Amino acid sequence: METQIIELEKKYWQGMENHDYETVKQLTYFPCIIAGKNGVQSVDEAKFKKMFESGDGDKIKVLSISDVEAKSIENTAIIGYVIELGIQDAKEKAPVKCACTSTWIKQNNNWVCALHTEAELSQ
């Protein structure tokens, strides 16, 4: 099951990278919880779509995913990893490394992400 969750996490990031809202939406449990540099928030589908679309100007590229730890507990799976992202906008930015965690739950025989956290790592 851990391999399946790692692949789902990669699919989620590919959806973000390709700005593919439908893929990301199908992999998300609503309302989901997101924690990061802007704090902690519960996000329903309408707010999620607005957040997703507001990021259209910044294009991300997943450069690497490493240090993966995953565990399954009944119908729940948790994963933690380090991701390196290239971010392109009007001016090139240096790659960013973040420690991420996600909690996936099995709902109607499908895995969906109910919680995601990101913490930017210091240089």
Side-chain angles (χ1 to χ4, degrees):
M1 185 180 310
E2 287 85 358
T3 302
Q4 181 183 10
I5 296 305
I6 293 166
E7 291 307 311
L8 285 169
E9 195 78 23
K10 287 179 180 177
K11 184 176 179 180
Y12 200 104
W13 278 108
Q14 284 175 331
M16 296 296 284
E17 190 175 78
N18 297 328
H19 209 70
D20 178 358
Y21 178 73
E22 286 304 313
T23 294
V24 174
K25 180 181 86 168
Q26 289 174 0
L27 293 171
T28 304
Y29 175 86
F30 294 105
C32 62
I33 297 173
I34 300 172
K37 65 181 178 182
N38 296 321
V40 178
Q41 55 188 318
S42 179
V43 179
D44 64 15
E45 188 174 343
K47 185 174 181 181
F48 186 86
K49 185 172 187 180
K50 187 176 180 178
M51 289 169 61
F52 186 88
E53 290 173 349
S54 73
D56 197 22
D58 288 342
K59 300 292 182 190
I60 64 166
K61 175 77 177 157
V62 176
L63 302 176
S64 67
I65 294 177
S66 61
D67 303 331
V68 177
E69 296 287 341
K71 180 188 291 192
S72 58
I73 307 160
E74 297 183 19
N75 287 329
T76 304
I78 54 176
I79 184 171
Y81 54 91
V82 173
I83 190 165
E84 184 174 12
L85 298 171
I87 301 174
Q88 300 172 326
D89 60 5
K91 56 184 188 280
E92 288 287 323
K93 294 181 181 176
V96 175
K97 275 192 175 183
C98 296
C100 298
T101 62
S102 294
T103 300
W104 291 80
I105 59 171
K106 198 164 196 178
Q107 182 184 51
N108 301 324
N109 234 15
N110 292 310
W111 286 99
V112 287
C113 185
L115 167 72
H116 181 74
T117 71
E118 293 179 11
E120 191 170 330
L121 299 175
S122 55
Q123 302 298 1

PDB file of all heavy atoms in Angstrom, residues 89-116:
ATOM      1  N   ASP A  89       8.342  32.233 -12.792  1.00  0.00           N
ATOM      2  CA  ASP A  89       7.352  33.278 -13.007  1.00  0.00           C
ATOM      3  C   ASP A  89       8.007  34.301 -13.924  1.00  0.00           C
ATOM      4  O   ASP A  89       8.839  33.942 -14.748  1.00  0.00           O
ATOM      5  CB  ASP A  89       6.848  33.869 -11.684  1.00  0.00           C
ATOM      6  CG  ASP A  89       7.953  34.499 -10.842  1.00  0.00           C
ATOM      7  OD1 ASP A  89       9.100  34.562 -11.323  1.00  0.00           O
ATOM      8  OD2 ASP A  89       7.664  34.915  -9.723  1.00  0.00           O
ATOM      9  N   ALA A  90       7.658  35.537 -13.790  1.00  0.00           N
ATOM     10  CA  ALA A  90       8.244  36.559 -14.657  1.00  0.00           C
ATOM     11  C   ALA A  90       9.770  36.560 -14.553  1.00  0.00           C
ATOM     12  O   ALA A  90      10.456  36.830 -15.518  1.00  0.00           O
ATOM     13  CB  ALA A  90       7.680  37.925 -14.298  1.00  0.00           C
ATOM     14  N   LYS A  91      10.297  36.275 -13.382  1.00  0.00           N
ATOM     15  CA  LYS A  91      11.752  36.160 -13.212  1.00  0.00           C
ATOM     16  C   LYS A  91      12.048  34.810 -12.560  1.00  0.00           C
ATOM     17  O   LYS A  91      11.301  34.346 -11.702  1.00  0.00           O
ATOM     18  CB  LYS A  91      12.305  37.308 -12.382  1.00  0.00           C
ATOM     19  CG  LYS A  91      11.659  37.460 -11.024  1.00  0.00           C
ATOM     20  CD  LYS A  91      12.214  38.699 -10.316  1.00  0.00           C
ATOM     21  CE  LYS A  91      11.750  38.781  -8.914  1.00  0.00           C
ATOM     22  NZ  LYS A  91      10.501  39.251  -8.581  1.00  0.00           N
ATOM     23  N   GLU A  92      13.107  34.177 -12.994  1.00  0.00           N
ATOM     24  CA  GLU A  92      13.460  32.868 -12.450  1.00  0.00           C
ATOM     25  C   GLU A  92      13.757  32.964 -10.955  1.00  0.00           C
ATOM     26  O   GLU A  92      14.435  33.877 -10.507  1.00  0.00           O
ATOM     27  CB  GLU A  92      14.699  32.317 -13.170  1.00  0.00           C
ATOM     28  CG  GLU A  92      14.444  31.872 -14.586  1.00  0.00           C
ATOM     29  CD  GLU A  92      13.662  30.571 -14.676  1.00  0.00           C
ATOM     30  OE1 GLU A  92      13.866  29.681 -13.847  1.00  0.00           O
ATOM     31  OE2 GLU A  92      12.827  30.479 -15.591  1.00  0.00           O
ATOM     32  N   LYS A  93      13.230  32.018 -10.205  1.00  0.00           N
ATOM     33  CA  LYS A  93      13.515  31.928  -8.777  1.00  0.00           C
ATOM     34  C   LYS A  93      14.373  30.694  -8.534  1.00  0.00           C
ATOM     35  O   LYS A  93      14.329  29.735  -9.301  1.00  0.00           O
ATOM     36  CB  LYS A  93      12.211  31.783  -7.985  1.00  0.00           C
ATOM     37  CG  LYS A  93      11.317  32.997  -8.044  1.00  0.00           C
ATOM     38  CD  LYS A  93      10.070  32.756  -7.211  1.00  0.00           C
ATOM     39  CE  LYS A  93       9.136  33.947  -7.271  1.00  0.00           C
ATOM     40  NZ  LYS A  93       7.887  33.688  -6.548  1.00  0.00           N
ATOM     41  N   ALA A  94      15.143  30.727  -7.464  1.00  0.00           N
ATOM     42  CA  ALA A  94      15.954  29.570  -7.096  1.00  0.00           C
ATOM     43  C   ALA A  94      15.028  28.422  -6.687  1.00  0.00           C
ATOM     44  O   ALA A  94      13.921  28.660  -6.183  1.00  0.00           O
ATOM     45  CB  ALA A  94      16.883  29.934  -5.947  1.00  0.00           C
ATOM     46  N   PRO A  95      15.435  27.174  -6.902  1.00  0.00           N
ATOM     47  CA  PRO A  95      14.618  26.041  -6.455  1.00  0.00           C
ATOM     48  C   PRO A  95      14.337  26.121  -4.956  1.00  0.00           C
ATOM     49  O   PRO A  95      15.127  26.672  -4.200  1.00  0.00           O
ATOM     50  CB  PRO A  95      15.477  24.819  -6.787  1.00  0.00           C
ATOM     51  CG  PRO A  95      16.388  25.286  -7.869  1.00  0.00           C
ATOM     52  CD  PRO A  95      16.656  26.739  -7.573  1.00  0.00           C
ATOM     53  N   VAL A  96      13.198  25.566  -4.566  1.00  0.00           N
ATOM     54  CA  VAL A  96      12.757  25.568  -3.180  1.00  0.00           C
ATOM     55  C   VAL A  96      12.676  24.127  -2.697  1.00  0.00           C
ATOM     56  O   VAL A  96      12.172  23.261  -3.427  1.00  0.00           O
ATOM     57  CB  VAL A  96      11.371  26.245  -3.061  1.00  0.00           C
ATOM     58  CG1 VAL A  96      10.826  26.146  -1.658  1.00  0.00           C
ATOM     59  CG2 VAL A  96      11.427  27.679  -3.525  1.00  0.00           C
ATOM     60  N   LYS A  97      13.159  23.855  -1.489  1.00  0.00           N
ATOM     61  CA  LYS A  97      13.021  22.534  -0.879  1.00  0.00           C
ATOM     62  C   LYS A  97      12.044  22.641   0.272  1.00  0.00           C
ATOM     63  O   LYS A  97      12.131  23.564   1.083  1.00  0.00           O
ATOM     64  CB  LYS A  97      14.358  22.009  -0.349  1.00  0.00           C
ATOM     65  CG  LYS A  97      15.193  21.313  -1.375  1.00  0.00           C
ATOM     66  CD  LYS A  97      16.348  20.584  -0.711  1.00  0.00           C
ATOM     67  CE  LYS A  97      17.104  19.790  -1.748  1.00  0.00           C
ATOM     68  NZ  LYS A  97      18.177  19.010  -1.147  1.00  0.00           N
ATOM     69  N   CYS A  98      11.099  21.697   0.311  1.00  0.00           N
ATOM     70  CA  CYS A  98      10.096  21.665   1.376  1.00  0.00           C
ATOM     71  C   CYS A  98      10.000  20.260   1.947  1.00  0.00           C
ATOM     72  O   CYS A  98      10.154  19.272   1.229  1.00  0.00           O
ATOM     73  CB  CYS A  98       8.710  22.034   0.829  1.00  0.00           C
ATOM     74  SG  CYS A  98       8.573  23.706   0.203  1.00  0.00           S
ATOM     75  N   ALA A  99       9.737  20.206   3.254  1.00  0.00           N
ATOM     76  CA  ALA A  99       9.349  18.946   3.885  1.00  0.00           C
ATOM     77  C   ALA A  99       7.831  18.912   3.822  1.00  0.00           C
ATOM     78  O   ALA A  99       7.164  19.878   4.213  1.00  0.00           O
ATOM     79  CB  ALA A  99       9.839  18.898   5.324  1.00  0.00           C
ATOM     80  N   CYS A 100       7.287  17.846   3.280  1.00  0.00           N
ATOM     81  CA  CYS A 100       5.838  17.725   3.108  1.00  0.00           C
ATOM     82  C   CYS A 100       5.313  16.478   3.819  1.00  0.00           C
ATOM     83  O   CYS A 100       6.028  15.475   3.942  1.00  0.00           O
ATOM     84  CB  CYS A 100       5.476  17.604   1.627  1.00  0.00           C
ATOM     85  SG  CYS A 100       5.912  19.018   0.618  1.00  0.00           S
ATOM     86  N   THR A 101       4.080  16.568   4.255  1.00  0.00           N
ATOM     87  CA  THR A 101       3.368  15.392   4.753  1.00  0.00           C
ATOM     88  C   THR A 101       1.972  15.399   4.164  1.00  0.00           C
ATOM     89  O   THR A 101       1.408  16.460   3.868  1.00  0.00           O
ATOM     90  CB  THR A 101       3.251  15.375   6.294  1.00  0.00           C
ATOM     91  OG1 THR A 101       2.496  16.508   6.723  1.00  0.00           O
ATOM     92  CG2 THR A 101       4.615  15.382   6.956  1.00  0.00           C
ATOM     93  N   SER A 102       1.423  14.220   3.965  1.00  0.00           N
ATOM     94  CA  SER A 102       0.043  14.082   3.504  1.00  0.00           C
ATOM     95  C   SER A 102      -0.606  12.912   4.232  1.00  0.00           C
ATOM     96  O   SER A 102       0.054  11.923   4.572  1.00  0.00           O
ATOM     97  CB  SER A 102      -0.014  13.810   1.994  1.00  0.00           C
ATOM     98  OG  SER A 102       0.460  14.915   1.257  1.00  0.00           O
ATOM     99  N   THR A 103      -1.884  13.056   4.454  1.00  0.00           N
ATOM    100  CA  THR A 103      -2.689  11.970   5.001  1.00  0.00           C
ATOM    101  C   THR A 103      -3.732  11.601   3.950  1.00  0.00           C
ATOM    102  O   THR A 103      -4.493  12.457   3.499  1.00  0.00           O
ATOM    103  CB  THR A 103      -3.387  12.387   6.312  1.00  0.00           C
ATOM    104  OG1 THR A 103      -2.388  12.744   7.267  1.00  0.00           O
ATOM    105  CG2 THR A 103      -4.247  11.257   6.864  1.00  0.00           C
ATOM    106  N   TRP A 104      -3.720  10.337   3.560  1.00  0.00           N
ATOM    107  CA  TRP A 104      -4.644   9.812   2.552  1.00  0.00           C
ATOM    108  C   TRP A 104      -5.632   8.886   3.238  1.00  0.00           C
ATOM    109  O   TRP A 104      -5.245   8.117   4.127  1.00  0.00           O
ATOM    110  CB  TRP A 104      -3.870   9.040   1.486  1.00  0.00           C
ATOM    111  CG  TRP A 104      -3.006   9.909   0.626  1.00  0.00           C
ATOM    112  CD1 TRP A 104      -1.784  10.409   0.944  1.00  0.00           C
ATOM    113  CD2 TRP A 104      -3.300  10.375  -0.693  1.00  0.00           C
ATOM    114  NE1 TRP A 104      -1.300  11.162  -0.103  1.00  0.00           N
ATOM    115  CE2 TRP A 104      -2.207  11.159  -1.107  1.00  0.00           C
ATOM    116  CE3 TRP A 104      -4.379  10.204  -1.555  1.00  0.00           C
ATOM    117  CZ2 TRP A 104      -2.163  11.772  -2.365  1.00  0.00           C
ATOM    118  CZ3 TRP A 104      -4.329  10.813  -2.804  1.00  0.00           C
ATOM    119  CH2 TRP A 104      -3.240  11.584  -3.193  1.00  0.00           C
ATOM    120  N   ILE A 105      -6.887   8.960   2.829  1.00  0.00           N
ATOM    121  CA  ILE A 105      -7.911   8.066   3.356  1.00  0.00           C
ATOM    122  C   ILE A 105      -8.583   7.345   2.200  1.00  0.00           C
ATOM    123  O   ILE A 105      -8.667   7.874   1.090  1.00  0.00           O
ATOM    124  CB  ILE A 105      -8.960   8.817   4.213  1.00  0.00           C
ATOM    125  CG1 ILE A 105      -9.653   9.903   3.404  1.00  0.00           C
ATOM    126  CG2 ILE A 105      -8.323   9.393   5.460  1.00  0.00           C
ATOM    127  CD1 ILE A 105     -10.843  10.538   4.098  1.00  0.00           C
ATOM    128  N   LYS A 106      -9.029   6.134   2.473  1.00  0.00           N
ATOM    129  CA  LYS A 106      -9.727   5.362   1.447  1.00  0.00           C
ATOM    130  C   LYS A 106     -11.216   5.627   1.588  1.00  0.00           C
ATOM    131  O   LYS A 106     -11.801   5.377   2.636  1.00  0.00           O
ATOM    132  CB  LYS A 106      -9.425   3.875   1.575  1.00  0.00           C
ATOM    133  CG  LYS A 106      -9.739   3.099   0.331  1.00  0.00           C
ATOM    134  CD  LYS A 106      -9.067   1.755   0.369  1.00  0.00           C
ATOM    135  CE  LYS A 106      -9.055   1.171  -1.026  1.00  0.00           C
ATOM    136  NZ  LYS A 106      -8.360  -0.106  -1.031  1.00  0.00           N
ATOM    137  N   GLN A 107     -11.796   6.193   0.532  1.00  0.00           N
ATOM    138  CA  GLN A 107     -13.211   6.546   0.532  1.00  0.00           C
ATOM    139  C   GLN A 107     -13.832   6.000  -0.753  1.00  0.00           C
ATOM    140  O   GLN A 107     -13.356   6.303  -1.854  1.00  0.00           O
ATOM    141  CB  GLN A 107     -13.366   8.064   0.599  1.00  0.00           C
ATOM    142  CG  GLN A 107     -14.797   8.527   0.654  1.00  0.00           C
ATOM    143  CD  GLN A 107     -14.885  10.041   0.630  1.00  0.00           C
ATOM    144  OE1 GLN A 107     -14.304  10.691  -0.230  1.00  0.00           O
ATOM    145  NE2 GLN A 107     -15.601  10.589   1.587  1.00  0.00           N
ATOM    146  N   ASN A 108     -14.891   5.201  -0.610  1.00  0.00           N
ATOM    147  CA  ASN A 108     -15.547   4.593  -1.780  1.00  0.00           C
ATOM    148  C   ASN A 108     -14.547   3.883  -2.684  1.00  0.00           C
ATOM    149  O   ASN A 108     -14.568   4.017  -3.891  1.00  0.00           O
ATOM    150  CB  ASN A 108     -16.343   5.642  -2.565  1.00  0.00           C
ATOM    151  CG  ASN A 108     -17.411   6.296  -1.736  1.00  0.00           C
ATOM    152  OD1 ASN A 108     -18.042   5.667  -0.889  1.00  0.00           O
ATOM    153  ND2 ASN A 108     -17.620   7.579  -1.953  1.00  0.00           N
ATOM    154  N   ASN A 109     -13.621   3.168  -2.069  1.00  0.00           N
ATOM    155  CA  ASN A 109     -12.604   2.378  -2.774  1.00  0.00           C
ATOM    156  C   ASN A 109     -11.560   3.208  -3.517  1.00  0.00           C
ATOM    157  O   ASN A 109     -10.835   2.691  -4.346  1.00  0.00           O
ATOM    158  CB  ASN A 109     -13.254   1.367  -3.723  1.00  0.00           C
ATOM    159  CG  ASN A 109     -12.749  -0.029  -3.454  1.00  0.00           C
ATOM    160  OD1 ASN A 109     -12.143  -0.305  -2.427  1.00  0.00           O
ATOM    161  ND2 ASN A 109     -12.990  -0.916  -4.397  1.00  0.00           N
ATOM    162  N   ASN A 110     -11.507   4.516  -3.247  1.00  0.00           N
ATOM    163  CA  ASN A 110     -10.507   5.395  -3.852  1.00  0.00           C
ATOM    164  C   ASN A 110      -9.727   6.097  -2.750  1.00  0.00           C
ATOM    165  O   ASN A 110     -10.285   6.450  -1.717  1.00  0.00           O
ATOM    166  CB  ASN A 110     -11.167   6.461  -4.744  1.00  0.00           C
ATOM    167  CG  ASN A 110     -11.804   5.871  -5.968  1.00  0.00           C
ATOM    168  OD1 ASN A 110     -11.186   5.092  -6.686  1.00  0.00           O
ATOM    169  ND2 ASN A 110     -13.044   6.226  -6.217  1.00  0.00           N
ATOM    170  N   TRP A 111      -8.448   6.332  -3.005  1.00  0.00           N
ATOM    171  CA  TRP A 111      -7.617   7.073  -2.074  1.00  0.00           C
ATOM    172  C   TRP A 111      -7.719   8.561  -2.378  1.00  0.00           C
ATOM    173  O   TRP A 111      -7.612   8.975  -3.535  1.00  0.00           O
ATOM    174  CB  TRP A 111      -6.161   6.627  -2.183  1.00  0.00           C
ATOM    175  CG  TRP A 111      -5.926   5.288  -1.576  1.00  0.00           C
ATOM    176  CD1 TRP A 111      -5.840   4.094  -2.231  1.00  0.00           C
ATOM    177  CD2 TRP A 111      -5.751   5.005  -0.190  1.00  0.00           C
ATOM    178  NE1 TRP A 111      -5.623   3.077  -1.330  1.00  0.00           N
ATOM    179  CE2 TRP A 111      -5.558   3.615  -0.071  1.00  0.00           C
ATOM    180  CE3 TRP A 111      -5.730   5.783   0.958  1.00  0.00           C
ATOM    181  CZ2 TRP A 111      -5.346   2.993   1.153  1.00  0.00           C
ATOM    182  CZ3 TRP A 111      -5.524   5.169   2.177  1.00  0.00           C
ATOM    183  CH2 TRP A 111      -5.333   3.793   2.271  1.00  0.00           C
ATOM    184  N   VAL A 112      -7.945   9.372  -1.341  1.00  0.00           N
ATOM    185  CA  VAL A 112      -8.006  10.824  -1.475  1.00  0.00           C
ATOM    186  C   VAL A 112      -7.206  11.464  -0.353  1.00  0.00           C
ATOM    187  O   VAL A 112      -7.120  10.936   0.757  1.00  0.00           O
ATOM    188  CB  VAL A 112      -9.467  11.346  -1.466  1.00  0.00           C
ATOM    189  CG1 VAL A 112     -10.177  11.007  -2.773  1.00  0.00           C
ATOM    190  CG2 VAL A 112     -10.254  10.797  -0.296  1.00  0.00           C
ATOM    191  N   CYS A 113      -6.610  12.607  -0.657  1.00  0.00           N
ATOM    192  CA  CYS A 113      -5.776  13.315   0.303  1.00  0.00           C
ATOM    193  C   CYS A 113      -6.645  14.247   1.146  1.00  0.00           C
ATOM    194  O   CYS A 113      -7.328  15.122   0.618  1.00  0.00           O
ATOM    195  CB  CYS A 113      -4.704  14.110  -0.434  1.00  0.00           C
ATOM    196  SG  CYS A 113      -3.518  14.901   0.667  1.00  0.00           S
ATOM    197  N   ALA A 114      -6.605  14.055   2.468  1.00  0.00           N
ATOM    198  CA  ALA A 114      -7.421  14.851   3.385  1.00  0.00           C
ATOM    199  C   ALA A 114      -6.619  15.929   4.110  1.00  0.00           C
ATOM    200  O   ALA A 114      -7.183  16.891   4.622  1.00  0.00           O
ATOM    201  CB  ALA A 114      -8.077  13.941   4.409  1.00  0.00           C
ATOM    202  N   LEU A 115      -5.287  15.786   4.134  1.00  0.00           N
ATOM    203  CA  LEU A 115      -4.421  16.728   4.838  1.00  0.00           C
ATOM    204  C   LEU A 115      -3.091  16.813   4.117  1.00  0.00           C
ATOM    205  O   LEU A 115      -2.510  15.781   3.742  1.00  0.00           O
ATOM    206  CB  LEU A 115      -4.169  16.253   6.271  1.00  0.00           C
ATOM    207  CG  LEU A 115      -3.052  16.951   7.053  1.00  0.00           C
ATOM    208  CD1 LEU A 115      -3.457  18.361   7.443  1.00  0.00           C
ATOM    209  CD2 LEU A 115      -2.671  16.154   8.283  1.00  0.00           C
ATOM    210  N   HIS A 116      -2.611  18.040   3.903  1.00  0.00           N
ATOM    211  CA  HIS A 116      -1.287  18.229   3.309  1.00  0.00           C
ATOM    212  C   HIS A 116      -0.597  19.375   4.033  1.00  0.00           C
ATOM    213  O   HIS A 116      -1.206  20.410   4.287  1.00  0.00           O
ATOM    214  CB  HIS A 116      -1.386  18.557   1.813  1.00  0.00           C
ATOM    215  CG  HIS A 116      -0.054  18.723   1.165  1.00  0.00           C
ATOM    216  ND1 HIS A 116       0.777  17.671   0.879  1.00  0.00           N
ATOM    217  CD2 HIS A 116       0.624  19.828   0.803  1.00  0.00           C
ATOM    218  CE1 HIS A 116       1.900  18.122   0.337  1.00  0.00           C
ATOM    219  NE2 HIS A 116       1.823  19.440   0.283  1.00  0.00           N
TER     220      HIS A 116
END
